[in-house]
Amino acid sequence: MNFFIADTHFFHADLLGWNDFAPRLFASTAAMNQAMIDAWNARVDANDVVYHLGDIAMNPENVPDDADVLAILAQLHGRIVFIKGNHDYRSLFKYLHAHDPKLNGQDKFSFHDVGAIIKENHKQIFMTHYPLMMGIVHQTLNLHGHIHHSSVHTATNINVGVDAPERDFVPDLPWGSPLNMRDIETIARGKADVLAKSK
């Protein structure tokens, strides 16, 4: 099964507590990190693929060491496809590739600089870090992150970030859970209904 997430921002201490950008109500980054690890592993198993749409951890000055990021990612179930976000950096991707913990003899990690496209449930899924303005499309969704507690006012743009307001359409999921395609379709329908009513 495929899952989708963005903007985990592991180790990002500035997000702790109440703020207008991405409030994360944890006493420490360790508690925040563990909540995301637990939510991820409750949904994802070794045979799944998780598309991480950017901003794995905060920029280098906030992260003690690339090995600390690897230690978090190695705990996460499944294979992970990383799409580079604005807070990701090439040296981290190189480090993760060089120290890939492998999963059943295959690479656990793979990497894309700009984005990736898959087909699922008869839909084209464009996955990017930044939201795309695609115009009129049919059977096409843009899954993205980057804008945290904001939403693009188009039903075909789905923010899959940890802090995304779209997650209100799937309220039973623990904070930090990767989204599956059923969740994405629920969000897309809910968002379309809300936007239609606001016209």
Side-chain angles (χ1 to χ4, degrees):
M1 182 180 289
N2 291 326
F3 289 89
F4 311 92
I5 197 167
D7 300 305
T8 46
H9 279 243
F10 292 112
F11 302 102
H12 193 172
D14 291 344
L15 297 183
L16 297 177
W18 288 106
N19 60 75
D20 292 332
F21 180 62
R24 298 188 178 184
L25 306 181
F26 296 93
S28 66
T29 57
M32 177 186 74
N33 292 348
Q34 193 60 53
M36 286 188 280
I37 293 167
D38 293 344
W40 181 303
N41 289 343
R43 297 203 90 192
V44 177
D45 69 29
N47 298 312
D48 295 328
V49 175
V50 182
Y51 290 88
H52 190 302
L53 309 188
D55 289 3
I56 303 164
M58 195 46 186
N59 53 26
E61 60 266 21
N62 293 112
V63 177
D65 192 291
D66 288 348
D68 294 317
V69 179
L70 176 62
I72 293 278
L73 299 176
Q75 296 177 61
L76 302 175
H77 294 171
R79 289 182 289 124
I80 308 174
V81 179
F82 293 107
I83 292 167
K84 190 174 180 295
N86 58 301
H87 290 296
D88 298 322
Y89 43 100
R90 183 134 344 257
S91 63
L92 174 62
F93 278 13
K94 288 179 178 177
Y95 182 88
L96 295 177
H97 177 68
H99 298 86
D100 193 306
K102 305 292 184 182
L103 189 63
N104 300 324
Q106 297 182 335
D107 286 347
K108 180 177 177 71
F109 306 138
S110 59
F111 309 91
H112 295 274
D113 279 344
V114 178
I117 303 171
I118 61 171
K119 277 196 93 161
E120 187 157 340
N121 291 1
H122 309 290
K123 290 181 177 64
Q124 281 194 107
I125 311 298
F126 285 73
M127 294 172 291
T128 54
H129 179 63
Y130 302 100
L132 296 175
M133 301 312 293
M134 298 184 296
I136 298 171
V137 293
H138 301 284
Q139 298 297 99
T140 302
L141 295 172
N142 169 222
L143 307 186
H144 65 86
H146 185 60
I147 55 176
H148 288 261
H149 205 61
S150 298
S151 180
V152 176
H153 294 287
T154 306
T156 53
N157 291 83
I158 308 296
N159 185 351
V160 300
V162 168
D163 311 299
E166 277 92 330
R167 287 174 176 266
D168 291 346
F169 292 109
V170 284
D172 295 332
L173 286 182
W175 181 85
S177 298
L179 303 170
N180 62 30
M181 197 59 199
R182 184 181 301 159
D183 302 324
I184 297 298
E185 290 172 338
T186 298
I187 290 168
R189 285 192 302 271
K191 194 172 178 185
D193 289 346
V194 168
L195 290 171
K197 289 173 185 172
S198 68
K199 287 183 179 178

